[in-house]
Amino acid sequence: MNKYSRLQQFRFDTHQMLVKSKDAAFQLMDSIMATENARSLAEFSLSPFFHRQWSSTYEAIEDCRPNGNKFMRRYIQEIPILEYFLFGIDHTRWEFEDSPTMKDRTYQYSHCSVHSSVIGQGYSTIAWLPQLDHQGSWTLPLRHERITSFETPLNKATWQLKQVCQKLPSNIPKLVVLDCEYGNATFLKQTANVKVSKLIRVRSNLCFYGNPEPYSGRGRPKKHGDKWKLNESDNFPCADEVLEMEDPSLGQIRVSKWTQLHFYNAPLQTLTLLKIERLNPKKTGSKHRPLWLIWVGEEFLSLEKIWSQYSRRFGVDHWYRFAKQRLHWTLPNFRTPIQCQRWSDLIVNITWQLWLSKDLVQEHHLPWQKPQENLTPQRVARSMISLLMEIGSPTQTPKSRGKSNGWQKGRKRNKAKVYPTIKKRQSKSKKRRKT
């Protein structure tokens, strides 16, 4: 068995799972890996790895049938059996400002634009975060799917988490790290039946509640105890556990832990509150606000490892930037959301091919760049041309089909239907008036 057998088997399985137009779609994926700069989808046909005409790039997305469930099961086979599984969940936007014929466009939050929102589609991602022996930004998505107009990021993340956990061994602990958008009672109640531990950042203006006092025997039993305001953390009782350690990048850190707390709207979901403080910041006179985290579920990590595991969450943001800038995820302007989802599934598969190739490629770096021992996704993508030429492709040689008849004379052309932009509204429960 040669050193390329694992990658070749993965590429062969991918080729078979594309079903229709699999040769054109697979060659399009190789062209994406070999093309660093492109201005349109048709420019990928100029790559030497694409052996068809430029129109086949659009036909590949129109005809291929990548199945997200089959792809996810194939990705899980590449995950080694470790002490525990670490996942990250986040969501991003794909802007479609000038696409009125795109169905199901919604308003997406944007911190980069002049206005607070842009028109486009949201995509939720659940990714496996490999445990690296060195600092790196490798993130391997398992599911990367569109958030429809009748879904929320929380609902989509819950569904994706259930789908992934069903295919993993039940005897190995699972940990998912999330940002503050998921740190609320709604998400905890939605994922209460999922056997996974959650490490979530929470906003510093939230309130938690302790356990109530023992039942006195009169009236309805209390659900909540003392109120804990994070803005008034100086009044908190002594922590159940305190740890001071030295972080290589942040200096000395203090981690405080309080147990047996809950949200007001989720009294049955017990959580552990963690406070991370920088004691000796490198810049003199600078003030750093503490970082608040909550742990929900089975605790199988020590305080020393919790901070390092949460910092791996930022790998999902790195993958979003890599997918948009290098893998050209948001470059094409498709007509339908189905085509956007097919294209997104191909981008995720390309990421896994780069991961399997990181120890096989011979690094090619620019003259002003330093060589790396542990290659980043960007370096691997830049060095893929020689590897693709060496391992070959499972596709077949294209056959000429003759000249197309073109548009029939006298056939009427209809304008594309224009769809309105959907604005999501958050439903608020009506309070019952006292009579």
Side-chain angles (χ1 to χ4, degrees):
M1 183 179 294
N2 58 9
K3 60 179 180 180
Y4 304 124
S5 58
R6 182 182 178 187
L7 175 61
Q8 289 176 335
Q9 183 63 42
F10 183 86
R11 287 167 59 84
F12 177 79
D13 296 341
T14 299
H15 178 260
Q16 297 299 318
M17 286 188 291
L18 294 175
V19 189
K20 299 177 63 177
S21 295
K22 53 186 177 182
D23 290 345
F26 196 87
Q27 290 183 1
L28 178 60
M29 295 168 62
D30 288 350
S31 302
I32 295 172
M33 286 188 281
T35 305
E36 189 167 356
N37 298 311
R39 293 171 295 180
S40 65
L41 182 64
E43 284 196 13
F44 292 116
S45 64
L46 303 178
S47 172
F49 297 99
F50 198 83
H51 303 155
R52 289 161 171 80
Q53 300 295 328
W54 65 269
S55 58
S56 295
T57 57
Y58 295 92
E59 293 178 359
I61 303 300
E62 183 71 25
D63 298 337
C64 72
R65 296 293 184 270
N67 188 296
N69 293 326
K70 293 182 179 180
F71 273 26
M72 180 193 67
R73 290 194 292 266
R74 185 62 182 87
Y75 300 152
I76 291 178
Q77 295 178 10
E78 300 297 333
I79 300 179
I81 301 300
L82 301 174
E83 182 181 356
Y84 60 93
F85 296 110
L86 180 63
F87 302 103
I89 298 179
D90 207 343
H91 67 96
T92 186
R93 67 187 183 279
W94 186 348
E95 298 182 16
F96 289 98
E97 289 281 356
D98 302 322
S99 302
T101 58
M102 170 67 72
K103 188 177 181 180
D104 210 25
R105 292 189 306 166
T106 57
Y107 291 96
Q108 302 292 326
Y109 171 76
S110 174
H111 63 280
C112 301
S113 62
V114 178
H115 305 285
S116 60
S117 61
V118 295
I119 300 176
Q121 294 179 345
Y123 275 78
S124 178
T125 309
I126 178 171
W128 170 56
L129 305 175
Q131 300 180 10
L132 303 176
D133 298 331
H134 54 85
Q135 293 183 353
S137 57
W138 281 101
T139 301
L140 287 310
L142 297 174
R143 303 190 76 99
H144 178 59
E145 295 161 319
R146 183 175 65 94
I147 305 174
T148 61
S149 59
F150 51 85
E151 292 176 321
T152 64
L154 301 184
N155 297 339
K156 197 68 175 183
T158 303
W159 183 82
Q160 291 177 329
L161 191 60
K162 292 180 180 178
Q163 296 297 315
V164 171
C165 291
Q166 287 177 359
K167 305 302 180 182
L168 294 172
S170 58
N171 58 340
I172 299 179
K174 308 169 189 64
L175 174 63
V176 57
V177 287
L178 307 105
D179 202 7
C180 60
E181 185 176 358
Y182 303 87
N184 50 62
T186 302
F187 184 73
L188 295 190
K189 289 190 293 186
Q190 290 179 356
T191 58
N193 297 328
V194 184
K195 192 176 180 181
V196 61
S197 299
K198 297 173 281 289
L199 182 62
I200 314 174
R201 182 172 73 93
V202 293
R203 296 183 175 90
S204 58
N205 60 349
L206 295 184
C207 298
F208 295 93
Y209 294 83
N211 290 334
E213 299 176 356
Y215 182 52
S216 61
R218 298 180 59 183
R220 187 181 66 177
K222 293 183 178 180
K223 296 182 179 179
H224 316 288
D226 297 334
K227 188 175 183 179
W228 296 47
K229 295 183 179 181
L230 299 188
N231 288 333
E232 302 176 1
S233 58
D234 296 337
N235 300 328
F236 283 7
C238 295
D240 299 332
E241 186 177 353
V242 179
L243 174 66
E244 294 186 5
M245 61 180 182
E246 189 72 20
D247 188 87
S249 58
L250 301 179
Q252 192 173 8
I253 290 180
R254 177 191 297 156
V255 183
S256 305
K257 173 182 175 182
W258 293 271
T259 58
Q260 299 299 320
L261 298 176
H262 61 263
F263 283 105
Y264 182 83
N265 292 327
L268 301 180
Q269 305 301 319
T270 305
L271 56 88
T272 299
L273 180 64
L274 303 169
K275 180 181 180 181
I276 294 91
E277 303 172 278
R278 294 181 62 178
L279 302 181
N280 297 322
K282 295 182 179 180
K283 294 182 180 180
T284 58
S286 60
K287 294 183 179 179
H288 294 273
R289 294 185 301 175
L291 174 68
W292 294 97
L293 304 175
I294 59 172
W295 181 291
V296 184
E298 178 187 0
E299 297 186 17
F300 55 87
L301 288 181
S302 61
L303 286 181
E304 186 177 0
K305 292 184 177 180
I306 287 180
W307 161 248
S308 61
Q309 296 307 299
Y310 176 76
S311 60
R312 289 287 292 117
R313 188 204 67 81
F314 299 101
V316 183
D317 297 330
H318 297 326
W319 182 79
Y320 283 149
R321 183 178 64 251
F322 175 70
K324 293 179 180 181
Q325 296 179 358
R326 176 56 184 86
L327 300 184
H328 318 286
W329 173 46
T330 57
L331 173 66
N333 293 321
F334 295 115
R335 177 65 63 86
T336 63
I338 298 178
Q339 295 174 343
C340 297
Q341 184 60 60
R342 293 170 184 169
W343 172 260
S344 302
D345 291 337
L346 299 184
I347 297 300
V348 171
N349 190 275
I350 291 174
T351 307
W352 279 88
Q353 292 192 43
L354 295 177
W355 164 259
L356 298 176
S357 306
K358 64 183 180 65
D359 297 328
L360 304 176
V361 298
Q362 185 176 0
E363 183 190 5
H364 173 72
H365 59 276
L366 300 177
W368 53 85
Q369 293 178 336
K370 296 181 179 180
Q372 295 179 348
E373 294 182 1
N374 304 306
L375 300 183
T376 61
Q378 177 72 25
R379 291 289 181 93
V380 176
R382 184 172 294 156
S383 309
M384 282 296 294
I385 296 180
S386 58
L387 179 62
L388 292 176
M389 296 176 62
E390 186 174 356
I391 63 177
S393 175
T395 60
Q396 299 179 358
T397 305
K399 298 180 182 179
S400 177
R401 297 184 178 180
K403 188 176 181 180
S404 175
N405 296 327
W407 193 268
Q408 297 179 3
K409 188 176 181 180
R411 183 181 175 185
K412 186 179 179 180
R413 294 181 181 269
N414 299 322
K415 291 185 178 180
K417 185 178 179 181
V418 177
Y419 295 93
T421 304
I422 301 175
K423 185 175 182 180
K424 297 182 180 180
R425 299 182 181 273
Q426 184 177 4
S427 60
K428 297 182 179 180
S429 59
K430 297 181 181 180
K431 295 183 179 180
R432 184 179 299 177
R433 293 183 179 180
K434 294 183 178 179
T435 59

